[in-house]
Amino acid sequence: MDASNILRKLAVATNDSGSPFQEEAFSAAKRWSKLRQPQARAEIFDQKAKDNAACFRNNIESYIGTISIPVGVAGPLRVRGAAGCRDYRVPLATTEAALVASYNRGARLLTSAGGCNARVVAEAVSRTPMFAFNDLVEAEQFARFIDAHADSFTDVVSQVTQHGKLVSVRCLIEGNHVYVDLQFTTGDASGQNMVTFASDAICKLVLEHCPIVPRYWFLEANFSGDKKSTAKSMGHVRGKRVIADITLPRALVEQQLHTTPERMVEYWYAGAIGGVLSGATGIQGHFANGLAALYLACGQDVACVAESATGVTRLETSEAGDLYASVTLPNIMVGTVGGGTALPSAKACLDILGLAGCGKSTALAEVCAALVLAGELSIIGAFCSGDFALAHRALSRGEELQRSNDND
Amino acid sequence: MDASNILRKLAVATNDSGSPFQEEAFSAAKRWSKLRQPQARAEIFDQKAKDNAACFRNNIESYIGTISIPVGVAGPLRVRGAAGCRDYRVPLATTEAALVASYNRGARLLTSAGGCNARVVAEAVSRTPMFAFNDLVEAEQFARFIDAHADSFTDVVSQVTQHGKLVSVRCLIEGNHVYVDLQFTTGDASGQNMVTFASDAICKLVLEHCPIVPRYWFLEANFSGDKKSTAKSMGHVRGKRVIADITLPRALVEQQLHTTPERMVEYWYAGAIGGVLSGATGIQGHFANGLAALYLACGQDVACVAESATGVTRLETSEAGDLYASVTLPNIMVGTVGGGTALPSAKACLDILGLAGCGKSTALAEVCAALVLAGELSIIGAFCSGDFALAHRALSRGEELQRSNDND
Amino acid sequence: MDASNILRKLAVATNDSGSPFQEEAFSAAKRWSKLRQPQARAEIFDQKAKDNAACFRNNIESYIGTISIPVGVAGPLRVRGAAGCRDYRVPLATTEAALVASYNRGARLLTSAGGCNARVVAEAVSRTPMFAFNDLVEAEQFARFIDAHADSFTDVVSQVTQHGKLVSVRCLIEGNHVYVDLQFTTGDASGQNMVTFASDAICKLVLEHCPIVPRYWFLEANFSGDKKSTAKSMGHVRGKRVIADITLPRALVEQQLHTTPERMVEYWYAGAIGGVLSGATGIQGHFANGLAALYLACGQDVACVAESATGVTRLETSEAGDLYASVTLPNIMVGTVGGGTALPSAKACLDILGLAGCGKSTALAEVCAALVLAGELSIIGAFCSGDFALAHRALSRGEELQRSNDND
Amino acid sequence: MDASNILRKLAVATNDSGSPFQEEAFSAAKRWSKLRQPQARAEIFDQKAKDNAACFRNNIESYIGTISIPVGVAGPLRVRGAAGCRDYRVPLATTEAALVASYNRGARLLTSAGGCNARVVAEAVSRTPMFAFNDLVEAEQFARFIDAHADSFTDVVSQVTQHGKLVSVRCLIEGNHVYVDLQFTTGDASGQNMVTFASDAICKLVLEHCPIVPRYWFLEANFSGDKKSTAKSMGHVRGKRVIADITLPRALVEQQLHTTPERMVEYWYAGAIGGVLSGATGIQGHFANGLAALYLACGQDVACVAESATGVTRLETSEAGDLYASVTLPNIMVGTVGGGTALPSAKACLDILGLAGCGKSTALAEVCAALVLAGELSIIGAFCSGDFALAHRALSRGEELQRSNDND
C-alpha cells in the first residue's frame, strides 16, 4: 500500500461528511441511476444494503447492493473430529427445493448412529508459476537450480505472510517449460491470495539469482488446480484433504432410509461405474449440493465448488450386515478467517456452527465432510427406496413430504 | 398431490390468522429459539427475511432466514447473439475481491471491440436410469427392447411435462447393467426436476411392458453428469453448449490489457498444458468465478457450477497480428423460469439483464459465455502484464487499482 | 491401385531374375550392409526372413528381417458367445514371465465354471476431420450444412469401400472449429485405413458443395480416439464394445484361486478406487497384458493396445455367496481380414483359434473379452491369496510354480 | 535365485540326454499334438523355435514356438542426449503399413536439422500396496506410522534387490483405506518385478512391527499406474520422464514436410483440443505407434504401451518463423537388462541401436522420445500437406510413395 493510499484512507475515516459508508453507498446509487431499474433497485439496494455498503468494500467492486438467499438449517450433525465429538446445526443457503431436507435427513441418520468420524488428513494450497526457456536443456538446468535452492525460499515467504508456510517445492518439466509447484499451508484462511503473494516473492527471488534466464514466465499457469476438479488433487491434496466415515447399523438404514445396506451397495456400484463411464473425476453423487450451500452460507468462495465437489464416496456391507460408508474430499477450500468470512451473514452462519475465527478451519472442513457424507447417504437412500422423484415433486411444490424428517 | 394436501393449502391461504407468511415465519422463529444465537438471528432473520418467508417455501426447507451477498455490476458487455446485438449490465454476486473488477475489465474490452459472438449450438439435459440383470445376455435383450420401443416414450413424457421434450434415447451396457441415457430439451427452465419426472414415467412404462424383468433399477445412476464436470458433456452437451468468440485488434490488447497477442498466446499454451498436466477436464482458466457469481445473482442452481465450469478456452494470433479468442461451454445449466428465478433478488438481477421470464434462456446462456470470455481475457491479460498479484493485493485491501477500469 | 501399378506387380511376379522375393530381400541385404552388425543380421535376417521378405511388403517399409517372439498357449477358454458355446486354445505372444501362466489359470477357471458369456454390444470406428472457420457463426452454419446433407454421404462411401458403412455423422463445435465425427462399421476388418479413405471422400464431397468455405481443414484431428484411451470410447464405442461375464460358484473360487468371493470383492474395491485416485480412464487391472499378447500373436495392430486396454472390471458377491464378474471393453480393435492378419505367423495363430478369415471378427472380439476376464480373475486371485509376488519371482527365474495350473 | 536352483540349472545344462532344449521343446511338441494344426505348427514351431526353446523358459509359459514379426529400420535419428550427440538406426517391428516410412521421414527431418535434444528428467517406478482398517481413525494412525518409519525401509529393500533403490514413500488415505506409494529407481532394468519384491518385503516389515493391524491388505492396489495411462504419471513420472525437443528451420519444414510452421501449429491446436474433447489423458497424436514398434523390437514389455503412450506434444512458431516442437513422455518403461532384453531378437535390435546391456537405459529412453518426436512431426506434416490418406493408401497396397523418403 503506498503512502497516498494510506493518506486517502485515513482522510476518509476521519471525515464526517465523506464517511466510507456514504462514499460506497453514493457510488452504488450512481450505478443504479444508470441501470434505471427502480423495482430491482428496491430489492437489491434496500436500506440494509445501503447501511452495509462500506463493510463490503474489500470483497466486491462496482457494488450495487445485496441479494438475499434463503437459509435453512440441517442437523444436528454429530461429528467425531480430531478435537472430539460435537453436534452441529448446519446453515445451508440454497434456492433448490429438497436440498436442505435431504441433508437434514442424512445428518439425523449419522447423529442417531452416534456420529461419523471426520479427519483432515493432509493440507496444502499450491501456486504453480511457469518459466519458459529456449530448449529443454535450459529448462532442466533451471529445474536443478530450483531444487538446489528451495530451502532458501522459506525466508522470503515469511517476509510476505505470517500465516502461510512453504511446505514443498517441486519442478515438473514439459518440453522447454518448467512448472514449479509451490505448496503452502495457510493457517485458518483459505489462503488463495496469501499463496499468490508468497509465490510472487519466490519467483522474484529466483529471477534475481538464477543464472538461467527464462524467456518469459507467469505467476500461475493452471497446474495448481485452482477452480477446477483435477486428478492432481484427487491423488494428493488441495486445500484440505478431509474424510468422514461411519458404520451404520442395518436397523437404522431400514428405519430411516427405508431400504437395506445391500441395496445401498448395489446403488453404489451403479453410481460409481455410471460416473466412471461419464468420464467424471472421482466417484461421488452430489458433493456439489451440500458444499455449495455451506460455502455460500459461511462466506467461503463458492466458485471453489468447482474444485471441491470432487472425491470418492464408498459404501460396503460389513460382515455383520451393517453399512460402511465413507467420503473422501481431497480439495476442501475453507477458512474461518479472511475472504468473506467476516461479512455479517457469513459471520452469523459461522456462529451458528460455532466456528468463527482462528483455530476453527479444521473443524469447518470436518463439517464439510460430515455434511457431504450425510447427503450421499440420503440421496442414495432416496434412489433405493424410490423416493427421489417423489420428494422432489412434493418439495418443489411446497407440499409436505410424508416420509420427510423435517427439522422442526 | 393428494386431496388432503390440497385442502390444507386452501385452508392456509384463506385463514387470516394462519396465513402462509405467518406459518413459515413462525416455524423459522421456533428454529431460532433452539439455536440460541441472538446476534446471528438479527442478521439472518431480519424483518425482510420474515416478510419474505412464504415466498421461499418452494425453494428451501427448515428456513431460518436469508443471507446477504454483495452484488457488483460488470459491463456493458456487448453480445452478438442469435437474436442480434445487445449490451448487458451483468450483476455478479460474490465476496471475492477483484472478481467483479476483472470481469468488468474484460467486458469492456469485448464491448470496445464491437462485442463478441455467442451461440447456443446444442441443447439437452439427461437423466440416466440404470437397470440391473442376471447377466449380460439379459442386459443386451433389454437394451434391444428399449431401442425398439423408444418412439413410444414421447407420449408418456408429454403427459408429465409440457415443456420437456424427449430428444434421444441411448442404451449403454456395462457388464449386466444397462444405463439408459434419456435426453430432453426443457424449454426456458434449467429443467432438472422436469427430466426427473419424465424419466420416472418412462421407466415405469418400460417396467410395465418389457418382458425382460430387471433384478433392480434406479431412476438415476450418475451417468448423466449431474453436478459433475464430465468428459461426456465436454464431447456432447449437458444443458446448453454455448460458445463465444471474438477477434480482438492488437491495439486494444495493448491498450487495455497492457500486453500483446503473442504474449497472451504464450500464456494460453502454458495454461492449457498446465491444466492437462493437472488432469483437469477441458482447458480453461477460471470459468467458475464468473459463472458462480452470475448463477448466484440470477437464481440459478449454484451447485451446478461444479458441472458448468468446464470447457475450452482457445487463443490464437491471427495472420494480421490480432488475437482470436473463444470459449466453449458444453454444460451451461440456466433457466429464466422455474427454480429460484422468481425469487425477489433473482428476479431483480434478471431484470437488470433484461432476461426474466419465457423466451430468454438462450440469451442468458449467451451472456454466460460472453462473460466467461471476458473473464478469461482479463485474467490472462493480468498474468501477462504481471498485474495479477498486484490487483489482488490492492483490491482485497480496499485500495484503488491504478490500472483498473472500475465500472463508474 | 492404378493400372500401371498392377502391371508392375504382375511383371515382378513373373520375372525370374527380378522376383519379388529377390527385390525385397536384396534391399534388406543392402540395409544390413550399412548397419554392419553381422550377429544381429544372423538373428534378424535369417533364411526364413529372406524367404518371406516379399510377403511383408504391404506391411512394412525399410525391411531388414523379422524378430522372433515366443508364443504360449492358454486354455481351453470356454466362451458362450453370440454364435454359441466354444472352447478356444488361445495363442499369446509375450516375453513377460507369468503372463501366459496367469491367463491360463483364469481361462481354466472360466471353463471349469461352464464358460463365460461374451457379446459384442456395439460397433463403430470413427474418423474425425476438423474444419476451421473465421468465427463461430460460420462454424455453426457449416455444422448445419453437414447435418442437412449427411444422408448423401452414404453413396460416396460405397464408391470407396465395399465393407465400410457409414452409420452416423455428428458435428461437435469448439470455438470456430467443427469436428465431424464420422462413424463406420468395417466388416471383419479392423478398418482404420478403410475409414480414412471413406472420410477423405466425404470431406472432398463436402468441400465441393458447401457454400461455407473453411479457412483450412484436416482429415483427422484427434477426436476419434485413435491410439488413445479416451472417455469418449468408454461412454460409447470404438471398434467393438464387447463384454464378458460369469457367475463363479464359491467353491471354484476357493479351490482354484485359493481365496473367497468376499476377499475378491474387497480387492475389487481397493483396485477400482486405486485406479480412480490415479486418474486412470475406466476401472480395470491389467487388460493390457492379455490384449497385447493376443493382438501380437494374431496380427492385430499392437499399438492399439493403447486404446483397447481401457474399460471396466466389476466384481460383486451374489446373494448365494458366489462371485459375479464382468469385463466391459469399449474399444476392441480387431479384424480377421486385412492388416497383418494374413501374414504367416498371424494366420497360424488365428488358425489355432479357428478364427481366420471372413465372418470371424465378432468371435475374435468375444475371445478378447473372455481372455481379459480370465486375466482379471487370475491376478485378483493372486493378490488375494498372496501369490502375486511368489509367482512372479518363481516364473521369472524359470522355477516351477507349486500352485500353478500349467497348460500341459 | 537360491543355491538349489542354481545347482538344478547347472545339472540340466550339462546333462546330454535331458538338456533344457529337449525338455522345453518336448513339452511344446506335446502341446502341438493336442492342437492338431500341422500348418500352424510348421510356421510357429519351426526349427529355430525348437532350437531356441530353452532360451525362452524364463520369459514364457506353455511355450509352443515363436511368431515372426517384420522389422524395418528408421533413421539415422540424431539425438543430442545427456551423454552427447549420436546417430541411431532404429529397428521398428510392426505389421502396419506406413509406420516405418513415417517415422523414418521424421527421423531424417530431425537429423537434417542437427538432431533433437533429449533428456530423462525424472525417474521412478512405484508399487502401491493398500491396507484396510476398521475406520479412518485407524487408517490415519497407520499412515502416521508409515511416515515415521519410512527411513527404515531402505535396509530391507537392499536385502531384496541390488539395483532397486527406494526413493520415496507417501501415504494416500481414502476412507478407511491407506494406499502406500512406494517409489523406486531400478538401475538399467524396467524393474517391475524388482519393485514388486521390494514392496513385498517392506509390507511384511510393516506388518511385523506396526501396532495398528490392518483388517486385510494387498501388495498392489492399482494406484501405481501399472499398464494404464494415468493423470498421476502425467503430473509426475512412472519409469522415466523423458523429453525431446527441437527448433526446426522453416525451410526444412517446407522442403521435407511440404507445409509451413504456421499450418503445423494450426494442426496442433486442432489435434490438441480434439484430444481434450475426447477425454484423452495428455495431448498427443500417435505415440503408441512408434513406442509399440520399438518396444517390440527391443524386448521391452509391449503391454506397457498402454501406459507409455501418454504425454504432451507441443508445437509453436518461433519469432523467427521457425517451428519449435517438443514431446514429453512421463511414463517410458524401458530397460536394457532384464525382462526380454537378452532374448536373441531383442539383443540383436538393441545391438543395432548400440544400446544393449548396463548403462544404456537412459539413452534408450532418449531414443524413445526422439523417435516419438519424429513420428509426431511426420504425421502432423502429413495431415497438413494432405498426404495422410494418400500415403496409407499407397503403402498398404505395396505401391511406391512418390513423396516418401524411403530408407534406402
Side-chain angles (χ1 to χ4, degrees), chain B residues 204-263:
Chain B
K204 277 158 186 169
L205 182 77
V206 168
L207 292 167
E208 200 180 326
H209 294 289
C210 182
I212 305 104
V213 180
R215 285 178 48 225
Y216 52 86
W217 70 284
F218 303 113
L219 177 52
E220 166 63 39
N222 220 9
F223 182 58
S224 65
D226 195 1
K227 302 289 187 297
K228 268 153 236 116
S229 165
T230 68
K232 177 176 188 271
S233 303
M234 185 67 58
H236 291 75
V237 61
R238 179 168 164 80
K240 290 178 169 60
R241 186 178 186 98
V242 55
I243 305 179
D245 77 357
I246 194 165
T247 298
L248 283 172
R250 163 179 292 270
L252 287 183
V253 173
E254 291 173 354
Q255 288 156 26
Q256 296 187 36
L257 299 180
H258 318 292
T259 185
T260 62
E262 288 76 18
R263 179 54 48 97

Side-chain angles (χ1 to χ4, degrees), chain A residues 133 138 141-142 145-146 149 206-214:
Chain A
F133 298 89
E138 283 184 17
Q141 288 165 348
F142 180 82
F145 178 90
I146 296 283
H149 295 79
V206 168
L207 292 167
E208 201 180 326
H209 294 289
C210 181
I212 306 104
V213 180

Side-chain angles (χ1 to χ4, degrees), chain D residues 242-265:
Chain D
V242 55
I243 306 179
D245 78 356
I246 194 165
T247 298
L248 282 173
R250 165 180 290 270
L252 286 184
V253 173
E254 291 173 354
Q255 288 156 24
Q256 295 187 35
L257 299 180
H258 318 293
T259 186
T260 63
E262 289 75 18
R263 178 55 46 97
M264 297 277 284
V265 168

Side-chain angles (χ1 to χ4, degrees), chain A residues 102 105 109 253-254 256-272 315 317 323 375-392 403, chain B residues 130 200 204 207 215-221:
Chain A
S102 182
R105 179 169 88 136
L109 172 65
V253 173
E254 290 173 353
Q256 295 187 35
L257 299 180
H258 319 292
T259 185
T260 62
E262 287 76 17
R263 180 54 48 95
M264 297 278 282
V265 168
E266 284 168 348
Y267 183 85
W268 181 82
Y269 270 99
L315 264 57
T317 49
L323 181 69
E376 296 291 274
L377 288 167
S378 182
I379 203 171
I380 294 175
F383 282 124
C384 290
S385 65
D387 286 349
F388 184 77
L390 196 73
H392 277 78
R403 279 178 166 178
Chain B
M130 193 285 286
D200 195 36
K204 277 158 186 169
L207 292 167
R215 285 178 48 225
Y216 52 86
W217 70 284
F218 303 113
L219 177 52
E220 166 63 39

Side-chain angles (χ1 to χ4, degrees), chain A residues 232-382:
Chain A
K232 178 176 188 271
S233 303
M234 185 66 59
H236 291 76
V237 61
R238 180 169 164 78
K240 291 178 168 61
R241 185 177 185 98
V242 55
I243 305 179
D245 78 356
I246 194 165
T247 298
L248 282 173
R250 164 180 291 271
L252 287 184
V253 173
E254 290 173 353
Q255 287 155 24
Q256 295 187 35
L257 299 180
H258 319 292
T259 185
T260 62
E262 287 76 17
R263 180 54 48 95
M264 297 278 282
V265 168
E266 284 168 348
Y267 183 85
W268 181 82
Y269 270 99
I273 289 172
V276 165
L277 293 172
S278 77
T281 302
I283 286 180
Q284 45 102 6
H286 70 140
F287 285 14
N289 279 325
L291 291 177
L294 184 62
Y295 278 23
L296 190 49
C298 297
Q300 310 301 315
D301 184 352
V302 76
C304 285
V305 168
E307 56 187 273
S308 293
T310 313
V312 175
T313 298
R314 177 154 53 86
L315 264 57
E316 295 189 60
T317 49
S318 75
E319 279 173 48
D322 298 325
L323 181 69
Y324 173 81
S326 70
V327 292
T328 301
L329 297 116
N331 195 344
I332 287 297
M333 294 296 286
V334 293
T336 52
V337 300
T341 59
L343 296 178
S345 294
K347 177 69 172 52
C349 288
L350 286 170
D351 279 339
I352 293 174
L353 284 166
L355 295 177
C358 289
K360 308 287 192 184
S361 65
T362 297
L364 182 54
E366 290 172 353
V367 169
C368 288
L371 179 74
V372 160
L373 177 60
E376 296 291 274
L377 288 167
S378 182
I379 203 171
I380 294 175

Side-chain angles (χ1 to χ4, degrees), chain A residues 1 5 8-9 31-32 34-35 37 40 43-44 46 48 56-73 89 92-101 130 172 174 179 193 196-197 200 215-216 218-223 227-232 263 266-267 270-271 273-275 277-281 284-285 288-289 292 296-297 301-303 305-306 309 340 343-345 348-349 351-352 383-384 388-389 392-393 395-400 406-408, chain B residues 1 5 8-9 31-32 34-35 37 40 43-44 46 48 56-73 89 92-101 130 172 174 179 193 196-197 200 215-216 218-223 227-232 263 266-267 270-271 273-275 277-281 284-285 288-289 292 296-297 301-303 306 309 340 343-345 348-349 351-352 383-384 388-389 392-393 395-400 406-408:
Chain A
M1 204 186 319
N5 250 316
R8 187 183 64 82
K9 295 191 87 178
R31 291 179 194 111
W32 277 109
K34 286 195 219 155
L35 292 173
Q37 294 274 355
E43 165 64 19
I44 303 287
D46 58 13
K48 192 171 170 189
F56 296 121
R57 75 187 318 263
N58 295 4
N59 294 83
I60 198 140
E61 301 84 37
S62 302
Y63 179 73
I64 58 167
T66 60
I67 55 165
S68 296
I69 306 284
V71 189
V73 66
R89 300 275 173 171
L92 298 171
T94 184
T95 59
E96 297 302 308
L99 191 150
V100 178
M130 192 287 283
L172 185 72
E174 179 277 325
Y179 293 82
N193 281 341
T196 297
F197 309 150
D200 195 36
R215 285 178 49 225
Y216 51 86
F218 302 113
L219 178 51
E220 165 63 39
N222 221 8
F223 181 58
K227 302 289 187 299
K228 269 153 236 114
S229 165
T230 68
K232 178 176 188 271
R263 180 54 48 95
E266 284 168 348
Y267 183 85
I273 289 172
L277 293 172
S278 77
T281 302
Q284 45 102 6
N289 279 325
L296 190 49
D301 184 352
V302 76
V305 168
L343 296 178
S345 294
C349 288
D351 279 339
I352 293 174
F383 282 124
C384 290
F388 184 77
H392 277 78
R393 196 176 290 117
L395 292 171
S396 66
R397 293 174 181 175
E399 298 167 17
E400 302 223 341
D406 191 19
N407 189 22
D408 293 309
Chain B
M1 205 188 319
N5 250 317
R8 187 183 63 82
K9 294 191 87 179
R31 291 179 195 112
W32 277 109
K34 286 195 220 156
L35 292 173
Q37 294 275 355
E43 166 64 20
I44 303 287
D46 58 13
K48 193 171 169 188
F56 296 121
R57 75 187 318 262
N58 296 2
N59 294 82
I60 198 140
E61 302 83 37
S62 303
Y63 180 73
I64 58 167
T66 60
I67 55 166
S68 295
I69 306 285
V71 189
V73 65
R89 299 275 174 171
L92 298 171
T94 185
T95 59
E96 297 302 307
L99 190 151
V100 178
M130 193 285 286
L172 185 72
E174 179 276 325
Y179 293 82
N193 281 342
T196 299
F197 310 150
D200 195 36
R215 285 178 48 225
Y216 52 86
F218 303 113
L219 177 52
E220 166 63 39
N222 220 9
F223 182 58
K227 302 289 187 297
K228 268 153 236 116
S229 165
T230 68
K232 177 176 188 271
R263 179 54 48 97
E266 285 169 347
Y267 182 85
I273 289 172
L277 294 172
S278 77
T281 302
Q284 46 102 7
N289 280 325
L296 190 49
D301 184 353
V302 77
L343 297 179
S345 294
C349 288
D351 279 339
I352 293 172
F383 282 122
C384 290
F388 184 77
H392 277 77
R393 195 177 291 118
L395 292 171
S396 65
R397 292 172 181 177
E399 298 168 18
E400 301 224 341
D406 191 19
N407 189 23
D408 293 310

Side-chain angles (χ1 to χ4, degrees), chain D residues 132-144:
Chain D
F133 298 89
N134 289 306
D135 59 23
L136 75 88
V137 178
E138 283 184 16
E140 199 197 18
Q141 289 165 347
F142 179 82
R144 283 207 200 118

